Amino acid sequence: DSGVTQTPKHLITATGQRVTLRCSPRSGDLSVYWYQQSLDQGLQFLIQYYNGEERAKGNILERFSAQQFPDLHSELNLSSLELGDSALYFCASSSQNTEAFFGQGTRLTVV
Amino acid sequence: GQNIDQPTEMTATEGAIVQINCTYQTSGFNGLFWYQQHAGEAPTFLSYNVLDGLEEKGRFSSFLSRSKGYSYLLLKELQMKDSASYLCAVRTGGFKTIFGAGTRLFVKA
């Protein structure tokens, strides 16, 4: 158990809908990262937060947004969903100079 | 731009040694990580290099050359359970961690 919790584990939704994925980081970790992994693809960096502030942005679509709350949990919002958004979404957390610990991921299926 | 390259697939025999290479070009460098990922599961941390040289941890070793933008992961005494994807990741100057596409390793008997 990495200590990073993601909910839900699975999500099936229709095209055009909006969903929210939730992540609770390890106790004490201030950084939260979001990654997308499509079938048989590598991890694509979406966005990073540090202590509530956006720190780095990757190839995150405008339809996607995220935030980190004062209690350090984070949410990734995906809207106007398309079939191609079907993927595993991972959240990871870390301290300043340590490795990232990953949650088990949310498997999103858009039908 | 920022780029991390790894071979797509490798095959090796149980009990053998395999070396997985990674080259990178990033804006700034704050460390290189190797992760193992079994299909459908979360990546798990294997090693971290921030200075040049070799870091050894049991059957796994990782090497870094910052001047060459190059790292490798060495797996010894391969076991069937080592069949997985191996991800090279670089923490950049902005403390963003970027992952390569991963190398899928197949270990055969």
Side-chain angles (χ1 to χ4, degrees), chain A residues 33 35 37 40 42-43 45 48 55-57 88 90 94 96-100 102-104 107, chain B residues 30 33 35 37 40-45 48 87 91 94-102 104:
Chain A
Y33 308 78
Y35 293 89
Q37 188 171 40
D40 289 339
L43 282 166
F45 172 73
Q48 178 196 359
R55 181 167 240 186
K57 216 168 191 177
L88 258 174
F90 285 107
S94 73
Q96 182 69 8
N97 285 316
T98 66
E99 68 273 23
F102 284 79
Q104 290 303 304
R107 184 173 294 280
Chain B
N30 278 298
F33 302 85
Y35 287 81
Q37 187 181 27
E41 297 182 10
T44 55
F45 170 75
Y48 171 64
L87 311 176
R91 182 166 285 164
F95 289 94
K96 176 168 69 175
T97 302
I98 301 175
F99 282 77
R104 192 175 292 185

